[in-house]
Amino acid sequence: MLSLQMSAPHSPTENSILNDYSSLPVIPDGHPRKTPQVPNTHYTNQSQTESPLMSSLIALELDEQEIVIDKKMFGQLWRDYQLEKKLRFGCPVNECGLLSQKLKQHWKIEVVEVVDHEFIGYEPTHHSLPSVLIHVIMLPNNQFELTVRAKQSTRDIKEFLSRRRLT
């Protein structure tokens, strides 16, 4: 028989844990433990038909995932994205939080953070870092300044602005 050496329990909790294992069957020495064989024809057939389907669904789900940028990553990207364009616009809204929500909805951007009278955001993309980052600051007289930064080319900035009919 297999013998176990046990030390005295150090606490009442350990004692109850050891008691939980006292009812386990003892495995004779030299004999491998056999697990019951359960026919798995149902599972085999199911997995053969669903495996390609599941793989496709997982791939589709991964394709739909967007990269989410937090404040720290935004700051790092802002330093890396050197190409920049600034524009000023009139605005009927005079509260930055409300402006950020309106632009998020109409421009399809992600807002990273709103602080006082400015906010930062980006245009979401699939499988890659955003092509443009944005910074908006509220100005006096119902205006705001939009700064758009890109890493690769000014074309990314032009496309961002033209899709929103800002140029």
Side-chain angles (χ1 to χ4, degrees), residues 28-91:
D29 239 352
H31 292 75
R33 183 175 178 193
K34 293 184 178 181
T35 56
Q37 296 296 318
V38 178
N40 63 359
T41 55
H42 174 71
Y43 298 109
T44 304
N45 291 338
Q46 187 177 10
S47 67
Q48 287 174 353
T49 58
E50 289 186 7
S51 180
L53 177 60
M54 289 303 291
S55 296
S56 298
L57 289 174
I58 291 169
L60 181 61
E61 187 176 312
L62 290 174
D63 284 344
E64 292 176 358
Q65 291 181 353
E66 295 176 353
I67 293 181
V68 178
I69 309 293
D70 63 4
K71 183 172 67 170
K72 182 179 179 182
M73 182 182 259
F74 184 93
Q76 292 169 347
L77 293 174
W78 189 262
R79 286 188 297 275
D80 292 342
Y81 287 34
Q82 296 296 312
L83 304 170
E84 181 178 279
K85 181 161 180 99
K86 290 186 180 218
L87 300 165
R88 285 188 180 203
F89 298 98
C91 175

Side-chain angles (χ1 to χ4, degrees), residues 132-149:
V132 296
L133 303 174
I134 65 166
H135 173 256
V136 174
I137 185 165
M138 300 290 295
L139 302 172
N141 301 322
N142 288 345
Q143 292 186 342
F144 70 90
E145 181 178 82
L146 169 68
T147 305
V148 183
R149 280 198 173 186

Side-chain angles (χ1 to χ4, degrees), residues 20-21 76 102 120 132:
D20 289 343
Y21 292 111
Q76 292 169 347
K102 295 280 186 187
I120 54 176
V132 296

Side-chain angles (χ1 to χ4, degrees), residues 108-122:
K108 307 293 185 229
I109 60 171
E110 290 297 321
V111 175
V112 175
E113 183 176 38
V114 178
V115 177
D116 296 330
H117 57 281
E118 57 188 298
F119 70 89
I120 54 176
Y122 61 95

